[in-house]
Amino acid sequence: MARIAVIGAGMGAMAAAARLAVAGHRVAVYERTETYGGAVRRFERDGFAFDTGPGLLSVPAVYRDLFVKTGREPLEECVELVQVDPSSRHVFADGTQVSLPNASRAGVVSALDQALGGDAGQRWGDFLVRAREAWDRTRRPLLEEPLWSDWSVLAEREPYPAVPHKRLLRTRRAGTLAEVGEWELRDPRLTALLESHALAYGLDPRDTPASAAVLPYMEHAFGTWYVRGGMRELARAVYERCVARRVEFVFGAEVRRILEKDGRAAGVELADGSVAEADHVVAGVEPDRLSSMTGHQLYEAGDVRPQRMDGYQPGRFTVLLALRGQREPGAVHRTIVHAPDRAAELDFLRERTEEPARPTVTVLRPDDPALRPDEEHESVVLSAVLPAGIEWDVEDAEERFADLLVGAAETAVAGLRERLLWRETHTPDDTDDETDSGVGGLPAPALAAGRGRFLRPANATALPGLYRVGGWSHPGGGLPHTGMSGALVAGLIVEGPDFRGSQ
């Protein structure tokens, strides 16, 4: 039985802790804050409750597998999973609207044909077929296996299938998500639908590889799911599974340094000077911060370095709305209100242009009694991804951006301003305080191609006995990927460096 110290109580770290405890190891989790869940948090006030992190789940099989492998009670006995249907309603810049059914290719094709006209639905359906091919080529190396030592193969090869296009008298193939939209979808509304999946992680589709087609495919293939009571209930269930497997949690415990002995990780030193010895250390922190905890870099020659996306790291800005009045019958759980000016949105996200552009806004309206004081009220969450470096305490920045989001949400919630009781904002700086990431950003899932800029550092480090877990490590951010990082780290510790993932 090995002693294992886990830094942080995020979703990936807890997933690793539960699996390691079941394998017979003694696991202790050291969390800087007073609660678990990382960015999966809840805000409560006056009988209203809101998710301040992710509000929906795709690929629930990742957490079903976690619960099957760590105990008798399956996931569905610990939380109530609800399939969201329609999966989303989209409001495009020209006023066109379409509701897309959940996990139904035929239904999505039909809905797009009716709403957008022409053969828009068929073009989207054909795109999903190609996206599936990219998924089939990258699923194991980018989600189910430790990062290959020869990761450059993933970085150089574009898994999205080649569809030749005549341009400027020569044949070209789409290499970015924006080119897929322009050359294959050929409708600004379909392009907005495609690019919204990248924008949700702060990725600029103009330089995001075409392999990001797997993001809309995952939602299409595995559906969109809500956890009754809010996504915080999923974090609670994972935490309780850890406790049931005798994982020890120490809250209010900030790890300042990782101890070394005989050339390997040997434990952690806390801010109060106390020391916890360990045979392995699992760190759910941002890679650069992890390096500072050891006093040296943790990379072998040629390793993937932390993704910085040309020096900026966008983050999620959230507005929480407490509304009077009932949620109207037939209201859609999720509405995506696309930006009125695509170019302005992308330029602002990348360059922080002087004039803020209204971003693509996601409106979540869960029909969940647990989130409202009674049937005569409703809780609504608005979110958008904004560029890094905004000074939130200067020139009423929070209120100005909140106004932009509320203005967009009026197309999704009738009479919103008249119904508004109060609102709260949650900035990327707040996320940084909760997760101790040091960058306040939103980690994206790992993607193939793009010369490795969209990969994440491997779970194993150059210091034996020290492992990375969570959204800042392979296979990247998002609840499914974060959960898989926990499975990969547990496999590497239990089975050793020859572990190649679940079969």
Side-chain angles (χ1 to χ4, degrees):
M1 178 176 69
R3 300 165 300 172
I4 299 175
V6 179
I7 305 173
M11 297 298 284
M14 290 196 295
R19 291 175 182 271
L20 289 166
V22 167
H25 299 298
R26 192 172 71 192
V27 184
V29 177
Y30 300 91
E31 167 57 43
R32 179 183 62 91
T33 69
E34 297 298 331
T35 190
Y36 53 83
V40 184
R41 297 292 182 101
R42 173 183 288 156
F43 178 84
E44 298 180 357
R45 174 182 164 188
D46 301 339
F48 293 89
F50 310 85
D51 286 320
T52 59
L56 294 171
L57 174 67
S58 62
V59 200
V62 171
Y63 289 91
R64 289 189 178 116
D65 180 72
L66 170 65
F67 277 73
V68 166
K69 299 290 177 57
T70 59
R72 296 179 179 178
E73 305 85 4
L75 177 63
E76 280 80 354
E77 288 187 13
C78 301
V79 298
E80 183 182 352
L81 281 176
V82 181
Q83 197 165 20
V84 177
D85 201 7
S87 173
S88 59
R89 179 165 67 103
H90 291 261
V91 180
F92 298 107
D94 65 354
T96 307
Q97 300 187 20
V98 62
S99 292
L100 302 180
N102 200 340
S104 169
R105 181 179 180 275
V108 167
V109 167
S110 176
L112 289 172
D113 276 340
Q114 292 180 23
L116 307 187
D119 60 349
Q122 186 59 51
R123 274 179 275 134
W124 183 260
D126 292 343
F127 158 75
L128 287 177
V129 172
R130 294 188 291 273
R132 176 177 179 173
E133 187 171 336
W135 166 258
D136 289 340
R137 291 173 175 175
T138 62
R139 175 179 59 86
R140 284 199 62 82
L142 284 186
L143 192 62
E144 299 176 355
E145 298 177 345
L147 187 65
W148 293 346
S149 57
D150 185 19
W151 58 266
S152 60
V153 174
L154 293 171
E156 295 165 359
R157 295 180 181 175
E158 173 56 71
Y160 185 78
V163 181
H165 305 275
K166 289 292 185 180
R167 185 175 176 86
L168 300 177
L169 301 179
R170 60 193 181 115
T171 299
R172 298 187 61 186
R173 291 171 170 83
T176 67
L177 206 63
E179 290 173 343
V180 171
E182 180 183 359
W183 299 350
E184 298 176 18
L185 299 180
R186 303 190 307 280
D187 184 311
R189 296 163 297 185
L190 290 180
T191 297
L193 173 59
L194 169 66
E195 294 181 347
S196 65
H197 294 272
L199 290 170
Y201 292 102
L203 299 174
D204 186 337
R206 296 173 298 188
D207 60 17
T208 298
S211 66
V214 300
L215 300 178
Y217 175 77
M218 288 171 62
E219 184 173 300
H220 161 76
F222 305 107
T224 304
W225 300 80
Y226 174 69
V227 177
R228 186 71 67 187
M231 293 305 299
R232 178 67 176 176
E233 287 298 293
L234 179 62
R236 173 198 57 76
V238 175
Y239 168 72
E240 291 181 352
R241 177 54 55 90
C242 287
V243 171
R245 296 289 134 344
R246 298 185 179 180
V247 173
E248 177 188 2
F249 283 82
V250 185
F251 294 107
E254 181 178 359
V255 174
R256 289 288 178 85
R257 188 165 68 94
I258 294 172
L259 306 178
E260 297 181 38
K261 184 178 180 180
D262 299 329
R264 62 174 292 115
V268 297
E269 179 183 318
L270 305 181
D272 63 7
S274 61
V275 167
E277 295 181 349
D279 301 295
H280 302 275
V281 177
V282 176
V285 298
E286 193 269 339
D288 279 351
R289 179 158 295 190
L290 179 59
S291 293
S292 71
M293 288 179 175
T294 65
H296 55 77
Q297 289 295 322
L298 297 171
Y299 302 96
E300 302 283 4
D303 277 356
V304 176
R305 294 300 196 268
Q307 176 182 335
R308 278 291 176 271
M309 292 189 294
D310 295 333
Y312 73 96
Q313 186 64 57
R316 181 187 287 117
F317 179 77
T318 303
V319 184
L320 317 175
L321 304 179
L323 304 183
R324 64 171 64 88
Q326 292 184 355
R327 181 182 187 272
E328 71 272 18
V332 174
H333 188 123
R334 176 175 60 167
T335 299
I336 298 175
V337 184
H338 294 272
D341 187 331
R342 171 183 177 269
E345 176 185 31
L346 298 183
D347 289 343
F348 180 60
L349 184 64
R350 172 183 284 181
E351 304 167 6
R352 277 202 55 210
T353 51
E354 184 173 337
E355 183 63 28
R358 204 272 279 164
T360 295
V361 176
T362 298
V363 182
L364 296 181
R365 304 179 66 189
D367 185 11
D368 190 343
L371 304 184
R372 57 185 182 244
D374 53 49
E375 292 297 322
E376 297 303 319
H377 295 85
E378 181 184 7
S379 66
V380 175
V381 177
L382 317 179
S383 64
V385 175
L386 298 181
I390 294 175
E391 297 181 13
W392 295 105
D393 57 350
V394 175
E395 297 181 356
D396 300 321
E398 282 192 48
E399 294 304 309
R400 289 189 293 110
F401 281 109
D403 287 340
L404 283 177
L405 268 63
V406 170
E410 288 185 279
T411 62
V413 184
L416 187 154
R417 293 187 186 272
E418 293 74 23
R419 297 178 59 196
L420 183 62
L421 291 172
W422 49 262
R423 74 186 188 190
E424 293 276 354
T425 58
H426 189 271
T427 72
D429 286 353
D430 295 324
T431 301
D432 186 27
D433 290 340
E434 294 169 355
T435 63
D436 197 29
S437 69
V439 293
L442 186 66
L447 299 172
R451 298 190 298 276
R453 289 176 52 242
F454 299 87
L455 296 175
R456 293 292 184 187
N459 305 108
T461 73
L463 178 63
L466 176 61
Y467 302 85
R468 306 180 185 95
V469 75
W472 298 105
S473 63
H474 178 75
L479 283 172
H481 295 71
T482 300
M484 280 305 303
S485 76
L488 295 175
V489 167
L492 287 167
I493 292 175
V494 172
E495 299 188 25
D498 292 331
F499 172 69
R500 291 294 177 265
S502 58
Q503 300 299 319

